[in-house]
Every structure is written in structure tokens, then in C-alpha cells.
Amino acid sequence: MFKKFLNKFSKKIGIDLGTSKTIICIQDKGIVISEPTVVAINNRLDQIIAVGEEARKMIGKNPSYITLAYPLDKGVISDFEVTEKMLKYFFDKIFQENFNFSARPSVIIGIPLDVTEVEKKAVEDAAMGAGAGKVFLVEEIMAAAIGARLPIQGASGSMIINLGGGKTEIAVISLYGVVISKTLNIAGDEMNKNIIQYARDNFNLLIGEKIAESIKIKIGSAFASEEETTVEMRGRDLISGLPKEIIINDSQVREALSPSVISIIDAIKSVLEMTPPELVADIYERGIVLCGAAAMLTGIDKRVSNEAEIPVRIADDPATCTIRGINFLIDDQKLLNEVLMPSAMDDKTVKVGK
Ligand SMILES: Nc1ncnc2c1ncn2[C@@H]1O[C@H](COP(=O)(O)OP(=O)(O)OP(=O)(O)O)[C@@H](O)[C@H]1O
Ligand SMILES: [Mg+2]
């Protein structure tokens, strides 16, 4: 009776647990947390000292007794304990700011395609450990399709591509389900690595991850534009060991990014090749939809469209498609039931090692 009473007041929470960013929404309120998925740990005391944006500020500037932990790897929990603590930190923040009671909320969380039962259970356990009362799992790509307003319920195919930090998911969706898909461990973070490698190979310059990312965001592109843009790139000269700055232009950055861009395009083509012809016809008519924050790479839509010979559009506010889809599911129990993944908790044979 008391539990029922509490449930009535308990708001549902949605989580997009991304490799780069964790975004959390609550019922009737929308997005309340959007922070980098990174945690700073004091090794001497074995204590978390900063989470999210605060921890990100320390990247590349931390003394050896502070470790920066990225608890997700390619969309999957790689450090269970840190993930649980990070979620608990965010939940506590939400509770303090939004609720004045302590009912354990129901939580809807997105999971990548092709996760194992153990990986699925780790997500459920981390959310429960952080304070959830019940956990509902949905595929991130389905949530993203809902967020991008694709007609997932009909018997007609849509292709959605989520370009994230740790992974790219390519899926053809029809009748509430993924018909065909491919996951690539190449996405935004690999693009940063491409720029670091390019600077090393071409200029003997060692640059940090944050600098590589800011260059990508400022002048990175996948399709040539008429106007040249440049940006300064600062780092350490690998030969002299001294600080060095060079000016890099958009065509050099495009060249640097090309291994990732080519891999993504090849994967899209291979999914199209495997897709039944009727669905390809639908996709051609509707166009491929790109989402995920890395879909903001300038010209990626044009490049994919040129190479795959299919119209392409970028979803509105691509970085929040997944969480907006989850937010939609919070209020639509019927749709949630259609896209819900079976819980790993139902399978008594699976035991996860923490
Ligand atoms: N304007 C931009 N141009 C290009 N890339 C961008 C831009 N803004 C963000 N990114 C990149 O997008 C990536 C993060 O995407 P997103 O937030 O969708 O990932 P995620 O959901 O945390 O990760 P994943 O879905 O892979 O688990 C980062 O690599 C970031 O550098
Ligand atoms: Mg994501």
C-alpha cells in the first residue's frame, strides 16, 4: 500500500549512458543531466573526487595520484563499480534538486545492439545499485529512431545511423524492430585519435585528446568546401621536446579523419547490400537519417549521400535523439512494451562477476 503510494509520486527517469556523454531526463521535466562520462579518482584515498564536467576539466592536467576513469568502452560498461558510483552521484543530484521524497524511481536505459547477457545485466545492476527501483532496457538505436520521429511501427523500412563517441550503429528498422544492423567501434573518439596520429606523422607534434577534439569540432569535415578554414594546433615537438604550434587547415583535417569516415561509409554500404530490396526502396524514398553528436561533423551527410547514392538527412538536434526517444517512452507505456528488451534478471543462469 505504502509502496503504491510512493510509486504514484515517483517520477520515471531515462538514461542515455553513452561512451562520451551521460544524459538523463526525468518525467515531465526533460533533460536534467548532460555530462561527460568520466570520473576522477584519488588513488591515494581510493575516492571519487569529481564526476562529469568537473572531471573532464582535469583531463591531461591531472597529477599521477588522480586517475581519470572512463567507465564505458564502446558503449558497454567496462568498469562496473565506477559506472554505478557515477550514476549514484547523478541520481543524488537529481533527487536533491527535484524530489523531496525518496521513492526509488523506475529507470529506462538505452543499451547498444548486440550486447551480451552479462553486459546487459551490468547495466541493470549498475542502475539498481545507484538507486533505481526497476529498470527497463531499450535498444539505443530504437530510442534514437523514436527521438528522430521515424515511423518505426509501420511495415516500411527506415535506416538510422547513430554516430556516437565510442561506436557507430547502423540499423534498418521496421515493425518495431531492428531488421538488420551493424556496429562499428569507430566513431567520434576514433576521429580524435586520427587527428593525434596525423599530427604525429606529419608534424612530429604530440597533441592531447581535448585539443584533437576541439580541432575536429572547429574545422573537421567529411566533404570538401570551397572556403579554406584554419586553426592553430598546439602541442609538444617530439624531436625537440619543446612546445610547438602549427596552423592546420580543413583539407588536412579531412585527410586525417578519412580512415574513420571511409570505414563508416563502407559499413553503411555493406548494410545496404544485405538489406532486402523492398526495404531498400523504402530507405531510398525516405532517406537515411543520421543522429548522435558525431553526426554534427560538417559534410558527413553529403559524403554519405554521395557515396551510398541515397538521400541523407541529419536528425534535428542529433546529440539528443536517444534521450528524447527515451523521454517519449517514459510517457508511452504501450510503445515501451513494443520496444522493451527482455531483462537479463529473468535469466537465472546468468551470473555477473563484479
Ligand atoms: N560538432 C561536432 N562535430 C563533430 N563531432 C562532434 C561534434 N560535437 C560532438 N562531436 C563528437 O561526438 C562524439 C560523442 O557523441 P555522442 O555524445 O552521441 O556519444 P555517446 O552517446 O556518448 O557515445 P556512444 O553512443 O558511442 O556510446 C564525440 O566523439 C564528440 O567529439
Ligand atoms: Mg550514444
Side-chain angles (χ1 to χ4, degrees):
M1 173 69 187
F2 182 61
K3 206 171 161 192
K4 241 185 176 171
F5 173 79
L6 276 183
N7 277 343
K8 211 172 154 199
F9 287 94
S10 152
K11 301 254 185 216
K12 290 193 185 111
I13 291 183
I15 307 177
D16 172 12
L17 189 57
T19 316
S20 312
K21 236 177 184 180
T22 297
I23 312 183
I24 305 184
C25 66
I26 56 178
Q27 198 169 14
D28 303 329
K29 201 148 186 182
I31 295 173
V32 288
I33 301 265
S34 176
E35 304 228 20
T37 309
V38 57
V39 175
I41 299 164
N42 180 332
N43 309 322
R44 289 180 190 155
L45 306 170
D46 198 20
Q47 257 176 16
I48 287 183
I49 51 171
V51 177
E53 202 50 60
E54 283 302 308
R56 190 185 132 87
K57 285 185 191 145
M58 300 178 188
I59 295 175
K61 297 175 182 172
N62 51 312
S64 61
Y65 77 92
I66 295 176
T67 303
L68 288 162
Y70 301 86
L72 264 84
D73 184 26
K74 302 177 175 59
V76 171
I77 294 177
S78 56
D79 189 330
F80 179 83
E81 218 174 299
V82 172
T83 305
E84 188 184 61
K85 284 186 178 149
M86 179 187 76
L87 287 178
K88 175 137 189 17
Y89 172 88
F90 289 143
F91 281 8
D92 287 348
K93 205 167 158 183
I94 292 172
F95 291 150
Q96 267 167 22
E97 287 168 11
N98 297 283
F99 308 144
N100 40 13
F101 48 84
S102 57
R104 289 168 75 90
S106 294
V107 174
I108 303 178
I109 309 192
I111 51 167
L113 292 163
D114 308 324
V115 286
T116 65
E117 288 298 303
V118 172
E119 289 162 349
K120 221 157 85 171
K121 187 155 189 326
V123 174
E124 292 180 300
D125 286 348
M128 294 294 283
K134 197 163 172 38
V135 179
F136 299 95
L137 301 177
V138 295
E139 284 165 332
E140 281 167 18
I141 199 80
M142 288 303 287
I146 293 165
R149 304 264 164 196
L150 293 185
I152 60 161
Q153 69 285 358
S156 97
S158 304
M159 181 181 261
I160 180 149
I161 303 174
N162 187 355
L163 296 149
K167 58 172 167 48
T168 295
E169 290 189 328
I170 304 163
V172 176
I173 289 169
S174 172
L175 292 168
Y176 297 113
V178 172
V179 181
I180 201 150
S181 70
K182 190 168 190 132
T183 302
L184 219 64
N185 290 340
I186 293 174
D189 297 349
E190 184 65 23
M191 293 180 191
N192 301 344
K193 291 201 183 109
N194 290 154
I195 296 177
I196 294 172
Q197 190 65 38
Y198 187 87
R200 183 186 275 268
D201 294 347
N202 293 276
F203 309 110
N204 282 316
L205 186 69
L206 181 68
I207 61 165
E209 239 175 81
K210 270 206 292 192
I211 295 200
E213 182 176 41
S214 79
I215 292 170
K216 174 185 72 178
I217 292 175
K218 277 186 196 144
I219 65 162
S221 63
F223 200 84
S225 71
E226 282 170 18
E227 221 176 293
E228 189 195 60
T229 46
T230 59
V231 70
E232 60 282 352
M233 180 158 75
R234 289 195 196 110
R236 177 151 50 88
D237 189 309
L238 281 164
I239 297 164
S240 71
L242 297 172
K244 181 162 104 174
E245 177 183 301
I246 67 131
I247 303 291
I248 187 165
N249 66 28
D250 60 306
S251 108
Q252 289 168 310
V253 177
R254 202 158 42 248
E255 189 187 331
L257 298 179
S258 72
S260 293
V261 172
I262 288 170
S263 302
I264 291 167
I265 287 169
D266 286 348
I268 296 170
K269 283 184 184 166
S270 79
V271 172
L272 282 168
E273 275 164 22
M274 290 185 292
T275 305
E278 286 83 0
L279 293 176
V280 172
D282 295 340
I283 295 167
Y284 193 87
E285 200 173 303
R286 191 165 293 135
I288 296 172
V289 174
L290 305 183
C291 66
M296 293 190 279
L297 179 72
T298 306
I300 186 78
D301 49 342
K302 222 167 163 186
R303 179 78 183 272
V304 173
S305 172
N306 262 27
E307 304 234 1
E309 296 176 22
I310 285 191
V312 174
R313 75 175 171 90
I314 299 172
D316 291 341
D317 195 2
T320 60
C321 272
T322 305
I323 196 68
R324 284 187 286 119
I326 292 175
N327 197 27
F328 193 84
L329 290 172
I330 283 180
D331 289 318
D332 193 334
Q333 188 66 43
K334 197 165 158 270
L335 187 58
L336 178 63
N337 288 339
E338 294 287 353
V339 297
L340 197 61
M341 299 303 288
S343 160
M345 310 259 183
D346 299 340
D347 186 348
K348 302 286 182 290
T349 59
V350 176
K351 298 236 169 4
V352 68
K354 285 191 191 172

